[in-house]
């Protein structure tokens, strides 16, 4: 197979591992920065170029698109999809997952358990927001934040009002969530590939820090998930249409609660913590489902 990885840097751990896993299985792999790709459209034609080179003969594309390039990256990915190129992360699923509020709305609609969440725009609604999520302590999140940035724990009602007012003053888009005390500053990252969890690990925040992200100083611990936790992760990825996803969940007294679903999960933390070849699992999924997609496309052409 000819596989294209859309990544800003081929030396990033996740990109490098995907390339290694694919080449070990005999595939040809190219890495291209989606920022440098461009589309040309005309009647009945949907071409993608990299410089003066038209990108052809691609069997599968793996998007590793940064949050800041979501709009443009999803447009390029959509162009590949229209050219019948297989991808484990569709452009629609990518966009859904990057919009935190949209993702939570979809998860709630599909019956996925999430922390109680409230969203408003008017300062006059602050009291209601705090009440709806059970009062303080509570968590305030920037909708545009990534890697734990823009996430604040307000331990009192006064602090919550001050934080929310400050974000409103900056015209920032935020959501407010209940604080799950029993999680003790830890969450679980489960990697879903296809219809199963291939690896998972617990991310524990450093002392005095409720955010568990590794980028915020947390560390990873091996963990064996309960069946309910595996099912919750799979259900969340399926609800957003993702075939490859990093699902973050909290272990609460009322069962697993989905925090976020990542369409480009980093592989370094999970592979080094668990020793599992997650990159290989992704390539295997592409191999198996690329063949299925070929058959479906031939059936469509024959019809």
């Amino acid at each position: 197979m000819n596989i294209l990885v859309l990544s800003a840097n081929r030396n990033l751990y996740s990109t490098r591992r995907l390339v290694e896993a694919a080449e070990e299985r005999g595939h040809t792999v190219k890495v291209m920065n989606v920022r440098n790709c461009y589309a040309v459209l005309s009647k009945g034609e949907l071409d993608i170029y990299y410089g003066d080179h038209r990108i052809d003969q691609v069997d599968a594309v793996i998007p590793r698109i940064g949050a800041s390039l979501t709009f443009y990256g999803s447009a390029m990915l959509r162009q590949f999809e229209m050219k019948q190129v297989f991808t484990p992360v569709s452009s629609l699923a990518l966009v859904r997952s990057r919009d935190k509020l949209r993702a939570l709305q979809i998860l709630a609609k599909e019956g996925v358990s999430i922390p109680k969440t409230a969203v408003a725009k008017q300062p006059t609604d602050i009291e209601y927001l705090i009440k709806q999520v059970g009062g303080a302590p509570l968590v305030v999140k920037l909708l545009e934040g990534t890697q734990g940035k823009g996430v604040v724990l307000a331990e009192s009602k006064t602090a919550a009002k001050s934080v929310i007012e400050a974000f409103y003053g900056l015209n920032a888009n935020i959501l407010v969530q209940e604080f799950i005390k029993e999680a003790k500053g830890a969450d679980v990252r489960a990697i879903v590939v296809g219809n199963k969890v291939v690896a998972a690990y617990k991310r524990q925040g450093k002392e005095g820090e409720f955010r568990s992200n590794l980028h915020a100083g947390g560390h990873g611990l091996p963990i064996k998930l309960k069946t309910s936790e595996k099912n919750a992760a799979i259900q969340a990825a399926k609800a957003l249409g993702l075939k490859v996803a990093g699902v973050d969940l909290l272990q609460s007294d009322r069962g697993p609660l989905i925090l976020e679903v990542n369409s480009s999960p980093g592989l370094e933390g999970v592979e080094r913590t668990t020793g599992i070849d997650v990159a290989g699992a992704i390539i295997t999924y592409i191999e198996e489902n690329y063949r299925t997609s070929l058959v479906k496309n031939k059936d469509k052409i024959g019809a």
Side-chain angles (χ1 to χ4, degrees):
M1 290 175 62
N2 292 320
I3 299 175
L4 174 63
V5 180
L6 295 176
S7 173
N9 186 347
R10 70 177 300 117
N11 294 317
L12 293 173
Y13 180 93
S14 299
T15 302
R16 189 173 73 249
R17 284 288 299 117
L18 287 166
V19 171
E20 289 172 354
E23 290 181 341
E24 285 172 1
R25 289 159 174 78
H27 304 300
T28 299
V29 190
K30 289 184 179 180
V31 178
M32 293 184 181
N33 189 336
V34 72
R35 188 190 299 272
N36 297 329
C37 296
Y38 63 95
V40 178
L41 299 82
S42 61
K43 184 179 179 179
E45 294 185 7
L46 297 148
D47 292 325
I48 302 176
Y49 284 81
Y50 196 85
D52 63 353
H53 172 66
R54 187 171 66 184
I55 305 172
D56 284 324
Q57 297 181 334
V58 176
D59 298 312
V61 57
I62 305 174
R64 300 290 308 176
I65 297 168
S68 63
L69 282 173
T70 298
F71 176 80
Y72 188 75
S74 64
M76 295 301 102
L77 183 58
R78 187 162 57 247
Q79 188 97 337
F80 279 111
E81 290 176 292
M82 290 179 172
K83 291 170 67 66
Q84 304 300 317
V85 176
F86 178 79
T87 177
V89 180
S90 72
S91 57
L92 177 58
L94 173 65
V95 171
R96 283 174 172 171
S97 68
R98 289 290 167 78
D99 184 331
K100 290 182 181 180
L101 178 54
R102 181 180 182 182
L104 287 170
Q105 288 173 319
I106 293 171
L107 294 176
K109 177 180 180 294
E110 295 300 318
V112 178
S113 295
I114 62 174
K116 189 72 176 292
T117 303
V119 181
K121 193 64 176 175
Q122 296 299 325
T124 53
D125 292 325
I126 290 177
E127 291 276 357
Y128 305 129
L129 282 182
I130 295 173
K131 181 180 179 181
Q132 287 291 342
V133 299
L138 56 79
V139 178
V140 183
K141 293 184 178 181
L142 269 176
L143 290 179
E144 294 81 12
T146 60
Q147 299 177 345
K149 298 175 183 176
V151 180
V152 179
L153 172 63
E155 299 193 42
S156 68
K157 184 176 180 180
T158 300
K161 291 177 68 175
S162 296
V163 170
I164 296 170
E165 286 172 352
F167 277 130
Y168 282 164
L170 295 171
N171 200 32
N173 294 313
I174 63 169
L175 58 80
V176 177
Q177 285 186 329
E178 66 173 313
F179 176 62
I180 309 301
K181 183 179 180 180
E182 61 267 26
K184 299 179 180 178
D187 70 5
V188 172
R189 164 63 65 87
I191 304 296
V192 177
V193 179
N195 293 313
K196 65 180 180 179
V197 173
V198 298
Y201 69 114
K202 177 176 279 192
R203 302 184 300 184
Q204 179 67 57
K206 62 183 180 181
E207 187 175 353
E209 173 61 75
F210 83 101
R211 296 174 302 168
S212 58
N213 304 69
L214 302 188
H215 294 276
H219 61 278
L221 301 166
I223 187 174
K224 184 175 182 180
L225 295 187
K226 299 176 182 177
T227 299
S228 61
E229 293 166 342
K230 291 180 181 179
N231 290 340
I234 294 167
Q235 184 186 13
K238 184 178 179 180
L240 296 181
L242 290 166
K243 301 303 182 184
V244 172
V247 181
D248 299 337
L249 62 88
L250 293 176
Q251 296 174 308
S252 80
D253 290 340
R254 61 182 190 267
L257 300 175
I258 302 300
L259 279 177
E260 191 171 335
V261 184
N262 194 317
S263 54
S264 296
L267 304 184
E268 185 171 10
V270 67
E271 287 197 339
R272 290 187 172 174
T273 301
T274 66
I276 295 173
D277 180 10
V278 176
I282 293 172
I283 299 302
T284 298
Y285 173 82
I286 291 173
E287 290 172 340
E288 294 172 349
N289 290 273
Y290 162 72
R291 297 189 187 99
T292 302
S293 70
L294 279 180
V295 172
K296 288 182 179 179
N297 288 336
K298 286 180 180 178
D299 291 342
K300 289 178 182 178
I301 293 172

